[in-house]
Amino acid sequence: QVHLVESGGASVQTGGSLKLSCIASTGLSGCMGWFRHAPGMQRDGVAVVSDGGSTWYADSVKGRFTISRDAAENTVRLEMNSLEPEDSAVYYCAAAEKFCTLAKLAASEYEYWGQGTQVTVSS
């Protein structure tokens, strides 16, 4: 099975920046993305990148987060800027075997998940 491993989570103050990385155990040509799960909240889609490099973002992070993928290294990255306390959550990397669909920000579209990396933003 495909394994995904996230890294880069940390504690930062409001306005700070972080860069998350996700490394897959094998090459994937389908849709890949980042989700986050805060206590008491749903697991929500944050950013998605297609095999061809097209990107989509949740409205709450547009203009602040940037997703990218490196096929040669089987890696997906998430650069986060201007972080806010509302961004605090466990961030999960997700991968699908199929191409990105209109439901690309829905967790049900993905077959493979990492264990998550904690991001904490304090005031």
Side-chain angles (χ1 to χ4, degrees):
Q1 297 293 329
V2 175
H3 292 87
L4 305 174
V5 180
E6 306 97 334
S7 63
S11 296
V12 299
Q13 294 187 332
T14 298
S17 299
L18 286 174
K19 183 176 293 185
L20 307 183
S21 295
C22 169
I23 301 177
S25 60
T26 187
L28 297 170
S29 60
C31 195
M32 298 190 71
W34 287 92
F35 289 71
R36 64 188 182 187
H37 189 190
M41 306 293 288
Q42 297 180 337
R43 179 177 295 193
D44 295 324
V46 175
V48 169
V49 59
S50 73
D51 183 58
S54 298
T55 59
W56 297 266
Y57 299 91
D59 289 341
S60 60
V61 306
K62 287 181 179 178
R64 300 188 298 119
F65 291 10
T66 302
I67 188 172
S68 61
R69 68 193 296 169
D70 185 338
E73 297 184 351
N74 299 330
T75 300
V76 178
R77 309 184 194 280
L78 183 68
E79 182 178 356
M80 305 184 293
N81 299 307
S82 301
L83 285 164
E84 305 168 353
E86 292 74 18
D87 296 317
S88 297
V90 177
Y91 282 70
Y92 297 90
C93 178
E97 293 187 351
K98 60 179 173 59
F99 59 86
C100 296
T101 71
L102 291 176
K104 60 186 72 69
L105 289 175
S108 60
E109 294 293 295
Y110 301 84
E111 293 83 24
Y112 310 109
W113 294 85
Q115 294 300 305
T117 184
Q118 177 70 53
V119 172
T120 302
V121 185
S122 59
S123 301

